[in-house]
Amino acid sequence: MKTIEKVLFALVLIPVFTFSLSANKICVTTPNNTLLLSAEEGSELKFVYYGDKLSEGDIENIFCNEKYAPAAYPLYGMNCQGESALAVKHGDGNMTLQMVVMDVEKITGENSETTVVKMKDKVFPFYVNVFYKAYTDADVIETWTEIFHHEKKNVELNNFASAYLPIRRGDVWLSYLYGSWGNEGRLMQEPLKAGMKVIKNKDGVRNSHTSHAEVMFSLDGRPQENHGNVVGAALCYSGNYKLRIDTDDSEYHHFFAGINEENSTYSLPKGEVFRTPELALTFSREGLSGASRHFHTWARFHKIAHGTTLRKVLLNSWEGVYFDIDQEGMDQMMNDIASMGGELFVMDDGWFGGKYPRNNDTSSLGDWVVDTRKLPQGIEGLLADAEKHKIKFGIWIEPEMANTVSELFEKHPEWVIESDQRPLVTGRGGTQVVLDLSNPEVQDFIFDLVDGLMTKYPGIDYIKWDANMSITNHGSNYLDKSKQSHLYIEYHRGFEKVCQRIREKYPQLTIQACASGGGRANYGVMPYFDEFWVSDNTDALQRIYMQWGTSYFFPAIAMASHISATPNHQTSRSIPLKYRIDVAMSGRLGMEIQPKNMTAEEKELCRKAIEEYKMIRPVVQLGDIYRLVSPYDDLGVASLMYVDSDKEQAVFYWWKTEHFVNQHLPRVKMAGLDADKIYTIRELNRIDNKPLPFEGKSFSGRYLMSNGLEIPYNHTVDYHKKSDYSSRVLYLEVQ
Ligand code: DGJ
């Protein structure tokens, strides 16, 4: 190794192998997964195996095939027909890469071991280090690259995927999420066919309204929730991404994932290190739900802010009052949520604006001063109210944005993203614009906004961080003309820098990622955020579908799920409160409603639900998910459950999704219990006049998993309370 490389990679060199594999054979392991690579010095890095944990004997024998193994990080130029992970133009115009392994190092962390394979081009002083970070407490391997060079001129990066994974040949099904505003996280499942499947995002700011940067591959044909081999992959990035699955003429499926390179060609100067975002991989023998459990454990331990701390039950003001914020109204809402057992109140949009009051969405973003016409006692008054009601207080901001009708825009028109010499394209309210986070001054402004709020009002417990616009007109007044194609990447670097600064100073603060609903459900932001708003659509029936899909990759602790009014404000559907509660209780429970419009009976139902949710909260938020019957299978019912790690407690959800006379619903078999333990059943949120036949009865885990309970299709309630909705939440506990 040359000295410069040694300086750049002053990593601790420790032996790569724990048993007698030769030095070029790399084994990366988590508790239940194995990844094998062949990294012979002077040769190409090759992918040998990824899947279930292997015995030492199998590992040695699998390496017999290594000479036929595919490249672990395919490069463009010397085999141009295939898809590549990395494609560049060198300073002299040469378009090819041919890289060989120089060295392998391992870094031992507290709960992980990272293998670094260092590669160099055979001709150019161009380098790629491929990282594989294997967790010791979660079945996830994160992989990414660092790209740098010492060529005289800049090297153009035309494609720069984080990783490549050969999947397998033949009958493989893809599960992924797709949707739209108000309909996020829809589960899509399809067999991989010849040709290219591309899942991508080009929003610039938010990246999970339509497609998501996470996928699962069912390796044994049609996907099953609790059986079969599954590979899961999640790209940990907040910006534009591209996932490619290329099924070639041999029916082999090749998977590539990384930053979307479209309109983002990166001109890399000598010495700068370009780091690609991590791709998190998992393998499960226990079907899609098994892969979800792996992601959830990894996320709670490593990828979500405060991932193992229970979340508070909250009331958010948005659907209750929208922009109609005032001191008295906020106090009343705080009083109401406190009396129902809630622990936090969040004041949403509408509280700010000096010269331009924020009465609707046409003005004021950027002017983060309290509107004392609405709140004469300011935030101090609200914090005092919260203290009086013995709850915490949270506040809404949309820091990355401005309106053209704002004092900020008047002062800093150059801070907005806009195309040079062309008219400004505006978004929400006809005046919204995106601030240019590539600009360090803008980064400081955003940091100062949060810092200012927290310094002045240290009692603030929670921030809802919203983002309601895309990058519509490409252009940065800050970036050099030659670097305009860096905008999307620099925006997210700037965003991450701000998040890091905020987290360094305010590690305890709870922050929700919201972006017109579920636009920011991704593992790029989650290390800095505690949770995300799943969707602006709070309709309980549609939420079953959205939350089902979202749960493939994200744990309940991160999924904000609120009880809202009926008829629902987005769908106008009327759904009984019991059903709305039962759906919201399967995520991070909250309320998004005007409590003063609720009857005393409704408030009492919510009070009881919150009390019961607090009891099951550790199981829901920290337990293992088992999805049982999918709403997407159109069987008339959807069901899932959470089980705690000792298999002593579980919560079972059953929601009817259709209602017909003489309908026959499947009996739902439970999963994840201990077959030999005896569980006592208790119904939560009960509204029926008489208890369920199995209320208080005890059953073995074996019976519940092989047979299941016969759930009555309808509620036994008085005539005026009957409806076409029915749902059950059962709490199971080993006595
Ligand atoms: C969009 C969010 O998704 C809503 O929850 C709400 O906060 C509004 N913005 C406020 O303008």
PDB file of all heavy atoms in Angstrom, residues 181 209 316 318-319 322-323 348-350 358 361 365 396-398 428 464 466-468 512 514-518 533 535-536 592, ligand 1:
ATOM      1  N   TRP A 181     -49.641  10.278  -2.217  1.00  0.00           N
ATOM      2  CA  TRP A 181     -50.070  11.021  -1.035  1.00  0.00           C
ATOM      3  C   TRP A 181     -51.409  10.454  -0.552  1.00  0.00           C
ATOM      4  O   TRP A 181     -52.310  10.193  -1.356  1.00  0.00           O
ATOM      5  CB  TRP A 181     -50.244  12.520  -1.365  1.00  0.00           C
ATOM      6  CG  TRP A 181     -50.829  13.241  -0.186  1.00  0.00           C
ATOM      7  CD1 TRP A 181     -50.146  13.786   0.853  1.00  0.00           C
ATOM      8  CD2 TRP A 181     -52.229  13.421   0.092  1.00  0.00           C
ATOM      9  NE1 TRP A 181     -51.026  14.300   1.778  1.00  0.00           N
ATOM     10  CE2 TRP A 181     -52.320  14.093   1.339  1.00  0.00           C
ATOM     11  CE3 TRP A 181     -53.398  13.087  -0.570  1.00  0.00           C
ATOM     12  CZ2 TRP A 181     -53.534  14.434   1.920  1.00  0.00           C
ATOM     13  CZ3 TRP A 181     -54.625  13.421   0.022  1.00  0.00           C
ATOM     14  CH2 TRP A 181     -54.675  14.104   1.250  1.00  0.00           C
ATOM     15  N   HIS A 209     -43.248   8.771  -0.722  1.00  0.00           N
ATOM     16  CA  HIS A 209     -44.674   8.856  -1.011  1.00  0.00           C
ATOM     17  C   HIS A 209     -45.101   7.818  -2.025  1.00  0.00           C
ATOM     18  O   HIS A 209     -46.110   7.156  -1.874  1.00  0.00           O
ATOM     19  CB  HIS A 209     -45.020  10.236  -1.605  1.00  0.00           C
ATOM     20  CG  HIS A 209     -45.424  11.212  -0.563  1.00  0.00           C
ATOM     21  ND1 HIS A 209     -44.893  12.467  -0.480  1.00  0.00           N
ATOM     22  CD2 HIS A 209     -46.285  11.110   0.453  1.00  0.00           C
ATOM     23  CE1 HIS A 209     -45.427  13.093   0.550  1.00  0.00           C
ATOM     24  NE2 HIS A 209     -46.265  12.300   1.130  1.00  0.00           N
ATOM     25  N   ASN A 316     -52.380  15.476  18.527  1.00  0.00           N
ATOM     26  CA  ASN A 316     -51.862  16.484  17.598  1.00  0.00           C
ATOM     27  C   ASN A 316     -53.031  17.377  17.190  1.00  0.00           C
ATOM     28  O   ASN A 316     -54.132  16.894  16.933  1.00  0.00           O
ATOM     29  CB  ASN A 316     -51.245  15.780  16.377  1.00  0.00           C
ATOM     30  CG  ASN A 316     -50.752  16.758  15.342  1.00  0.00           C
ATOM     31  OD1 ASN A 316     -51.542  17.463  14.722  1.00  0.00           O
ATOM     32  ND2 ASN A 316     -49.450  16.809  15.142  1.00  0.00           N
ATOM     33  N   TRP A 318     -53.641  19.135  14.429  1.00  0.00           N
ATOM     34  CA  TRP A 318     -53.925  19.439  13.034  1.00  0.00           C
ATOM     35  C   TRP A 318     -55.369  19.196  12.631  1.00  0.00           C
ATOM     36  O   TRP A 318     -56.108  20.113  12.289  1.00  0.00           O
ATOM     37  CB  TRP A 318     -52.933  18.697  12.125  1.00  0.00           C
ATOM     38  CG  TRP A 318     -53.121  18.981  10.660  1.00  0.00           C
ATOM     39  CD1 TRP A 318     -53.448  18.078   9.693  1.00  0.00           C
ATOM     40  CD2 TRP A 318     -53.006  20.256   9.993  1.00  0.00           C
ATOM     41  NE1 TRP A 318     -53.527  18.696   8.471  1.00  0.00           N
ATOM     42  CE2 TRP A 318     -53.265  20.039   8.630  1.00  0.00           C
ATOM     43  CE3 TRP A 318     -52.704  21.541  10.420  1.00  0.00           C
ATOM     44  CZ2 TRP A 318     -53.247  21.061   7.684  1.00  0.00           C
ATOM     45  CZ3 TRP A 318     -52.675  22.569   9.481  1.00  0.00           C
ATOM     46  CH2 TRP A 318     -52.951  22.330   8.127  1.00  0.00           C
ATOM     47  N   GLU A 319     -55.818  17.952  12.671  1.00  0.00           N
ATOM     48  CA  GLU A 319     -57.191  17.695  12.201  1.00  0.00           C
ATOM     49  C   GLU A 319     -58.245  18.258  13.151  1.00  0.00           C
ATOM     50  O   GLU A 319     -59.421  18.370  12.786  1.00  0.00           O
ATOM     51  CB  GLU A 319     -57.410  16.199  11.966  1.00  0.00           C
ATOM     52  CG  GLU A 319     -56.702  15.704  10.722  1.00  0.00           C
ATOM     53  CD  GLU A 319     -57.184  14.331  10.265  1.00  0.00           C
ATOM     54  OE1 GLU A 319     -58.280  13.898  10.643  1.00  0.00           O
ATOM     55  OE2 GLU A 319     -56.422  13.684   9.525  1.00  0.00           O
ATOM     56  N   TYR A 322     -56.840  22.611  12.538  1.00  0.00           N
ATOM     57  CA  TYR A 322     -56.061  23.077  11.378  1.00  0.00           C
ATOM     58  C   TYR A 322     -55.307  24.362  11.746  1.00  0.00           C
ATOM     59  O   TYR A 322     -54.596  24.355  12.753  1.00  0.00           O
ATOM     60  CB  TYR A 322     -56.965  23.205  10.142  1.00  0.00           C
ATOM     61  CG  TYR A 322     -57.439  21.824   9.696  1.00  0.00           C
ATOM     62  CD1 TYR A 322     -58.729  21.359   9.977  1.00  0.00           C
ATOM     63  CD2 TYR A 322     -56.573  20.960   9.027  1.00  0.00           C
ATOM     64  CE1 TYR A 322     -59.133  20.088   9.593  1.00  0.00           C
ATOM     65  CE2 TYR A 322     -56.983  19.676   8.639  1.00  0.00           C
ATOM     66  CZ  TYR A 322     -58.248  19.251   8.920  1.00  0.00           C
ATOM     67  OH  TYR A 322     -58.635  17.989   8.551  1.00  0.00           O
ATOM     68  N   PHE A 323     -55.486  25.467  10.986  1.00  0.00           N
ATOM     69  CA  PHE A 323     -54.676  26.668  11.257  1.00  0.00           C
ATOM     70  C   PHE A 323     -55.250  27.532  12.393  1.00  0.00           C
ATOM     71  O   PHE A 323     -54.690  28.572  12.722  1.00  0.00           O
ATOM     72  CB  PHE A 323     -54.556  27.529   9.985  1.00  0.00           C
ATOM     73  CG  PHE A 323     -53.748  26.880   8.888  1.00  0.00           C
ATOM     74  CD1 PHE A 323     -54.375  26.240   7.832  1.00  0.00           C
ATOM     75  CD2 PHE A 323     -52.358  26.926   8.905  1.00  0.00           C
ATOM     76  CE1 PHE A 323     -53.628  25.650   6.808  1.00  0.00           C
ATOM     77  CE2 PHE A 323     -51.606  26.337   7.888  1.00  0.00           C
ATOM     78  CZ  PHE A 323     -52.246  25.702   6.838  1.00  0.00           C
ATOM     79  N   ASP A 348     -49.665  21.899  16.022  1.00  0.00           N
ATOM     80  CA  ASP A 348     -49.260  21.773  14.617  1.00  0.00           C
ATOM     81  C   ASP A 348     -49.157  23.148  13.966  1.00  0.00           C
ATOM     82  O   ASP A 348     -49.018  24.181  14.642  1.00  0.00           O
ATOM     83  CB  ASP A 348     -50.262  20.840  13.896  1.00  0.00           C
ATOM     84  CG  ASP A 348     -49.626  20.061  12.747  1.00  0.00           C
ATOM     85  OD1 ASP A 348     -49.401  20.666  11.687  1.00  0.00           O
ATOM     86  OD2 ASP A 348     -49.359  18.858  12.900  1.00  0.00           O
ATOM     87  N   ASP A 349     -49.269  23.190  12.679  1.00  0.00           N
ATOM     88  CA  ASP A 349     -49.114  24.393  11.841  1.00  0.00           C
ATOM     89  C   ASP A 349     -50.035  25.533  12.305  1.00  0.00           C
ATOM     90  O   ASP A 349     -51.123  25.286  12.838  1.00  0.00           O
ATOM     91  CB  ASP A 349     -49.498  23.982  10.404  1.00  0.00           C
ATOM     92  CG  ASP A 349     -48.927  24.917   9.371  1.00  0.00           C
ATOM     93  OD1 ASP A 349     -48.426  25.984   9.740  1.00  0.00           O
ATOM     94  OD2 ASP A 349     -48.984  24.551   8.178  1.00  0.00           O
ATOM     95  N   GLY A 350     -49.587  26.797  12.064  1.00  0.00           N
ATOM     96  CA  GLY A 350     -50.472  27.938  12.295  1.00  0.00           C
ATOM     97  C   GLY A 350     -50.089  28.825  13.459  1.00  0.00           C
ATOM     98  O   GLY A 350     -50.771  29.818  13.720  1.00  0.00           O
ATOM     99  N   ARG A 358     -49.566  33.257   9.762  1.00  0.00           N
ATOM    100  CA  ARG A 358     -49.781  31.957   9.105  1.00  0.00           C
ATOM    101  C   ARG A 358     -51.227  31.520   9.374  1.00  0.00           C
ATOM    102  O   ARG A 358     -51.496  30.728  10.292  1.00  0.00           O
ATOM    103  CB  ARG A 358     -48.787  30.945   9.675  1.00  0.00           C
ATOM    104  CG  ARG A 358     -48.944  29.512   9.174  1.00  0.00           C
ATOM    105  CD  ARG A 358     -48.359  29.287   7.815  1.00  0.00           C
ATOM    106  NE  ARG A 358     -48.302  27.853   7.501  1.00  0.00           N
ATOM    107  CZ  ARG A 358     -47.968  27.372   6.314  1.00  0.00           C
ATOM    108  NH1 ARG A 358     -47.657  28.185   5.315  1.00  0.00           N
ATOM    109  NH2 ARG A 358     -47.943  26.077   6.117  1.00  0.00           N
ATOM    110  N   ASP A 361     -52.018  28.129   4.079  1.00  0.00           N
ATOM    111  CA  ASP A 361     -50.713  27.649   3.596  1.00  0.00           C
ATOM    112  C   ASP A 361     -50.061  28.577   2.558  1.00  0.00           C
ATOM    113  O   ASP A 361     -49.146  28.166   1.855  1.00  0.00           O
ATOM    114  CB  ASP A 361     -50.842  26.219   3.057  1.00  0.00           C
ATOM    115  CG  ASP A 361     -51.798  26.117   1.879  1.00  0.00           C
ATOM    116  OD1 ASP A 361     -52.231  27.169   1.352  1.00  0.00           O
ATOM    117  OD2 ASP A 361     -52.118  24.976   1.473  1.00  0.00           O
ATOM    118  N   LEU A 365     -43.910  30.607   6.003  1.00  0.00           N
ATOM    119  CA  LEU A 365     -42.860  29.627   6.293  1.00  0.00           C
ATOM    120  C   LEU A 365     -41.525  30.350   6.240  1.00  0.00           C
ATOM    121  O   LEU A 365     -41.243  31.079   5.283  1.00  0.00           O
ATOM    122  CB  LEU A 365     -42.882  28.473   5.290  1.00  0.00           C
ATOM    123  CG  LEU A 365     -44.095  27.548   5.354  1.00  0.00           C
ATOM    124  CD1 LEU A 365     -44.040  26.526   4.220  1.00  0.00           C
ATOM    125  CD2 LEU A 365     -44.180  26.828   6.703  1.00  0.00           C
ATOM    126  N   TRP A 396     -44.815  22.090  15.910  1.00  0.00           N
ATOM    127  CA  TRP A 396     -44.625  21.806  14.479  1.00  0.00           C
ATOM    128  C   TRP A 396     -43.714  22.861  13.837  1.00  0.00           C
ATOM    129  O   TRP A 396     -43.863  24.062  14.103  1.00  0.00           O
ATOM    130  CB  TRP A 396     -45.995  21.856  13.800  1.00  0.00           C
ATOM    131  CG  TRP A 396     -46.021  21.632  12.305  1.00  0.00           C
ATOM    132  CD1 TRP A 396     -46.252  20.442  11.676  1.00  0.00           C
ATOM    133  CD2 TRP A 396     -45.868  22.612  11.272  1.00  0.00           C
ATOM    134  NE1 TRP A 396     -46.241  20.627  10.306  1.00  0.00           N
ATOM    135  CE2 TRP A 396     -45.997  21.947  10.027  1.00  0.00           C
ATOM    136  CE3 TRP A 396     -45.613  23.977  11.259  1.00  0.00           C
ATOM    137  CZ2 TRP A 396     -45.903  22.594   8.795  1.00  0.00           C
ATOM    138  CZ3 TRP A 396     -45.502  24.635  10.030  1.00  0.00           C
ATOM    139  CH2 TRP A 396     -45.645  23.943   8.812  1.00  0.00           C
ATOM    140  N   ILE A 397     -42.819  22.412  12.987  1.00  0.00           N
ATOM    141  CA  ILE A 397     -42.039  23.338  12.148  1.00  0.00           C
ATOM    142  C   ILE A 397     -41.853  22.707  10.760  1.00  0.00           C
ATOM    143  O   ILE A 397     -41.963  21.486  10.600  1.00  0.00           O
ATOM    144  CB  ILE A 397     -40.638  23.676  12.747  1.00  0.00           C
ATOM    145  CG1 ILE A 397     -39.876  22.406  13.139  1.00  0.00           C
ATOM    146  CG2 ILE A 397     -40.759  24.617  13.927  1.00  0.00           C
ATOM    147  CD1 ILE A 397     -38.465  22.659  13.645  1.00  0.00           C
ATOM    148  N   GLU A 398     -41.556  23.545   9.802  1.00  0.00           N
ATOM    149  CA  GLU A 398     -41.243  23.051   8.454  1.00  0.00           C
ATOM    150  C   GLU A 398     -39.960  23.762   7.998  1.00  0.00           C
ATOM    151  O   GLU A 398     -39.983  24.663   7.149  1.00  0.00           O
ATOM    152  CB  GLU A 398     -42.406  23.303   7.487  1.00  0.00           C
ATOM    153  CG  GLU A 398     -42.234  22.541   6.197  1.00  0.00           C
ATOM    154  CD  GLU A 398     -43.407  22.682   5.227  1.00  0.00           C
ATOM    155  OE1 GLU A 398     -44.415  23.327   5.575  1.00  0.00           O
ATOM    156  OE2 GLU A 398     -43.303  22.140   4.110  1.00  0.00           O
ATOM    157  N   ARG A 428     -46.970  24.261  -2.615  1.00  0.00           N
ATOM    158  CA  ARG A 428     -48.173  24.351  -1.773  1.00  0.00           C
ATOM    159  C   ARG A 428     -48.579  25.811  -1.558  1.00  0.00           C
ATOM    160  O   ARG A 428     -47.731  26.672  -1.320  1.00  0.00           O
ATOM    161  CB  ARG A 428     -47.872  23.687  -0.431  1.00  0.00           C
ATOM    162  CG  ARG A 428     -49.053  23.559   0.477  1.00  0.00           C
ATOM    163  CD  ARG A 428     -48.644  22.938   1.815  1.00  0.00           C
ATOM    164  NE  ARG A 428     -49.816  22.736   2.648  1.00  0.00           N
ATOM    165  CZ  ARG A 428     -49.787  22.557   3.960  1.00  0.00           C
ATOM    166  NH1 ARG A 428     -48.637  22.531   4.598  1.00  0.00           N
ATOM    167  NH2 ARG A 428     -50.897  22.386   4.643  1.00  0.00           N
ATOM    168  N   LYS A 464     -42.382  18.218  15.553  1.00  0.00           N
ATOM    169  CA  LYS A 464     -42.868  17.581  14.318  1.00  0.00           C
ATOM    170  C   LYS A 464     -42.220  18.352  13.183  1.00  0.00           C
ATOM    171  O   LYS A 464     -42.511  19.530  12.971  1.00  0.00           O
ATOM    172  CB  LYS A 464     -44.392  17.654  14.245  1.00  0.00           C
ATOM    173  CG  LYS A 464     -44.961  17.125  12.932  1.00  0.00           C
ATOM    174  CD  LYS A 464     -46.494  17.071  12.972  1.00  0.00           C
ATOM    175  CE  LYS A 464     -47.079  16.704  11.611  1.00  0.00           C
ATOM    176  NZ  LYS A 464     -48.544  16.612  11.632  1.00  0.00           N
ATOM    177  N   ASP A 466     -41.818  18.932   9.427  1.00  0.00           N
ATOM    178  CA  ASP A 466     -42.591  18.668   8.216  1.00  0.00           C
ATOM    179  C   ASP A 466     -41.784  19.080   6.975  1.00  0.00           C
ATOM    180  O   ASP A 466     -40.815  19.852   7.069  1.00  0.00           O
ATOM    181  CB  ASP A 466     -43.889  19.488   8.296  1.00  0.00           C
ATOM    182  CG  ASP A 466     -45.046  18.855   7.539  1.00  0.00           C
ATOM    183  OD1 ASP A 466     -44.794  17.973   6.710  1.00  0.00           O
ATOM    184  OD2 ASP A 466     -46.207  19.275   7.769  1.00  0.00           O
ATOM    185  N   ALA A 467     -42.179  18.615   5.829  1.00  0.00           N
ATOM    186  CA  ALA A 467     -41.531  18.992   4.562  1.00  0.00           C
ATOM    187  C   ALA A 467     -42.548  18.745   3.457  1.00  0.00           C
ATOM    188  O   ALA A 467     -42.821  17.587   3.119  1.00  0.00           O
ATOM    189  CB  ALA A 467     -40.282  18.152   4.327  1.00  0.00           C
ATOM    190  N   ASN A 468     -43.115  19.827   2.926  1.00  0.00           N
ATOM    191  CA  ASN A 468     -44.264  19.669   2.033  1.00  0.00           C
ATOM    192  C   ASN A 468     -44.011  20.077   0.592  1.00  0.00           C
ATOM    193  O   ASN A 468     -44.926  20.517  -0.091  1.00  0.00           O
ATOM    194  CB  ASN A 468     -45.446  20.468   2.599  1.00  0.00           C
ATOM    195  CG  ASN A 468     -45.952  19.890   3.906  1.00  0.00           C
ATOM    196  OD1 ASN A 468     -46.306  18.712   3.964  1.00  0.00           O
ATOM    197  ND2 ASN A 468     -45.972  20.683   4.951  1.00  0.00           N
ATOM    198  N   GLN A 512     -40.395  13.984  15.111  1.00  0.00           N
ATOM    199  CA  GLN A 512     -41.154  13.201  14.130  1.00  0.00           C
ATOM    200  C   GLN A 512     -40.803  13.669  12.729  1.00  0.00           C
ATOM    201  O   GLN A 512     -40.765  14.874  12.463  1.00  0.00           O
ATOM    202  CB  GLN A 512     -42.662  13.378  14.339  1.00  0.00           C
ATOM    203  CG  GLN A 512     -43.473  12.548  13.337  1.00  0.00           C
ATOM    204  CD  GLN A 512     -44.965  12.860  13.347  1.00  0.00           C
ATOM    205  OE1 GLN A 512     -45.409  13.898  12.872  1.00  0.00           O
ATOM    206  NE2 GLN A 512     -45.741  11.942  13.899  1.00  0.00           N
ATOM    207  N   CYS A 514     -42.155  14.164   9.237  1.00  0.00           N
ATOM    208  CA  CYS A 514     -43.405  14.210   8.496  1.00  0.00           C
ATOM    209  C   CYS A 514     -43.068  14.875   7.168  1.00  0.00           C
ATOM    210  O   CYS A 514     -42.224  15.763   7.111  1.00  0.00           O
ATOM    211  CB  CYS A 514     -44.419  15.033   9.282  1.00  0.00           C
ATOM    212  SG  CYS A 514     -45.949  15.319   8.387  1.00  0.00           S
ATOM    213  N   ALA A 515     -43.697  14.454   6.109  1.00  0.00           N
ATOM    214  CA  ALA A 515     -43.453  15.097   4.822  1.00  0.00           C
ATOM    215  C   ALA A 515     -44.720  14.910   4.002  1.00  0.00           C
ATOM    216  O   ALA A 515     -44.869  13.907   3.316  1.00  0.00           O
ATOM    217  CB  ALA A 515     -42.248  14.474   4.125  1.00  0.00           C
ATOM    218  N   SER A 516     -45.655  15.854   4.139  1.00  0.00           N
ATOM    219  CA  SER A 516     -46.984  15.698   3.546  1.00  0.00           C
ATOM    220  C   SER A 516     -47.480  14.292   3.857  1.00  0.00           C
ATOM    221  O   SER A 516     -47.903  13.553   2.977  1.00  0.00           O
ATOM    222  CB  SER A 516     -46.940  15.886   2.031  1.00  0.00           C
ATOM    223  OG  SER A 516     -46.205  17.024   1.682  1.00  0.00           O
ATOM    224  N   GLY A 517     -47.391  13.894   5.102  1.00  0.00           N
ATOM    225  CA  GLY A 517     -47.723  12.525   5.476  1.00  0.00           C
ATOM    226  C   GLY A 517     -46.469  11.682   5.449  1.00  0.00           C
ATOM    227  O   GLY A 517     -45.449  12.040   6.022  1.00  0.00           O
ATOM    228  N   GLY A 518     -46.545  10.562   4.721  1.00  0.00           N
ATOM    229  CA  GLY A 518     -45.480   9.554   4.793  1.00  0.00           C
ATOM    230  C   GLY A 518     -44.343   9.718   3.806  1.00  0.00           C
ATOM    231  O   GLY A 518     -43.809   8.722   3.321  1.00  0.00           O
ATOM    232  N   TRP A 533     -44.704  10.162  10.405  1.00  0.00           N
ATOM    233  CA  TRP A 533     -46.151  10.206  10.196  1.00  0.00           C
ATOM    234  C   TRP A 533     -46.418   9.328   8.986  1.00  0.00           C
ATOM    235  O   TRP A 533     -45.900   9.586   7.897  1.00  0.00           O
ATOM    236  CB  TRP A 533     -46.562  11.653   9.980  1.00  0.00           C
ATOM    237  CG  TRP A 533     -48.025  11.979   9.871  1.00  0.00           C
ATOM    238  CD1 TRP A 533     -48.563  12.910   9.022  1.00  0.00           C
ATOM    239  CD2 TRP A 533     -49.114  11.455  10.631  1.00  0.00           C
ATOM    240  NE1 TRP A 533     -49.914  12.981   9.222  1.00  0.00           N
ATOM    241  CE2 TRP A 533     -50.287  12.093  10.197  1.00  0.00           C
ATOM    242  CE3 TRP A 533     -49.217  10.484  11.633  1.00  0.00           C
ATOM    243  CZ2 TRP A 533     -51.548  11.808  10.721  1.00  0.00           C
ATOM    244  CZ3 TRP A 533     -50.479  10.196  12.160  1.00  0.00           C
ATOM    245  CH2 TRP A 533     -51.615  10.851  11.704  1.00  0.00           C
ATOM    246  N   SER A 535     -49.067   8.670   7.163  1.00  0.00           N
ATOM    247  CA  SER A 535     -49.825   9.241   6.057  1.00  0.00           C
ATOM    248  C   SER A 535     -50.708  10.360   6.582  1.00  0.00           C
ATOM    249  O   SER A 535     -51.148  10.318   7.738  1.00  0.00           O
ATOM    250  CB  SER A 535     -50.715   8.165   5.427  1.00  0.00           C
ATOM    251  OG  SER A 535     -51.542   8.737   4.436  1.00  0.00           O
ATOM    252  N   ASP A 536     -51.024  11.324   5.734  1.00  0.00           N
ATOM    253  CA  ASP A 536     -52.024  12.325   6.094  1.00  0.00           C
ATOM    254  C   ASP A 536     -53.415  11.712   6.119  1.00  0.00           C
ATOM    255  O   ASP A 536     -54.362  12.322   6.611  1.00  0.00           O
ATOM    256  CB  ASP A 536     -52.013  13.476   5.077  1.00  0.00           C
ATOM    257  CG  ASP A 536     -50.996  14.537   5.455  1.00  0.00           C
ATOM    258  OD1 ASP A 536     -50.467  14.486   6.577  1.00  0.00           O
ATOM    259  OD2 ASP A 536     -50.731  15.415   4.619  1.00  0.00           O
ATOM    260  N   GLU A 592     -55.779  12.604  16.750  1.00  0.00           N
ATOM    261  CA  GLU A 592     -55.714  13.742  15.820  1.00  0.00           C
ATOM    262  C   GLU A 592     -57.155  14.160  15.582  1.00  0.00           C
ATOM    263  O   GLU A 592     -57.765  13.804  14.575  1.00  0.00           O
ATOM    264  CB  GLU A 592     -55.037  13.267  14.526  1.00  0.00           C
ATOM    265  CG  GLU A 592     -54.880  14.319  13.480  1.00  0.00           C
ATOM    266  CD  GLU A 592     -53.425  14.620  13.149  1.00  0.00           C
ATOM    267  OE1 GLU A 592     -52.527  14.005  13.718  1.00  0.00           O
ATOM    268  OE2 GLU A 592     -53.226  15.504  12.300  1.00  0.00           O
TER     269      GLU A 592
HETATM  270  C1  DGJ B   1     -48.676  18.256   6.234  1.00  0.00           C
HETATM  271  C2  DGJ B   1     -48.663  17.242   7.339  1.00  0.00           C
HETATM  272  O1  DGJ B   1     -48.593  15.974   6.803  1.00  0.00           O
HETATM  273  C3  DGJ B   1     -49.879  17.443   8.215  1.00  0.00           C
HETATM  274  O2  DGJ B   1     -49.905  16.463   9.228  1.00  0.00           O
HETATM  275  C4  DGJ B   1     -49.851  18.818   8.807  1.00  0.00           C
HETATM  276  O3  DGJ B   1     -48.785  18.943   9.686  1.00  0.00           O
HETATM  277  C5  DGJ B   1     -49.771  19.844   7.697  1.00  0.00           C
HETATM  278  N1  DGJ B   1     -48.685  19.580   6.801  1.00  0.00           N
HETATM  279  C6  DGJ B   1     -49.614  21.225   8.266  1.00  0.00           C
HETATM  280  O4  DGJ B   1     -49.491  22.168   7.300  1.00  0.00           O
END
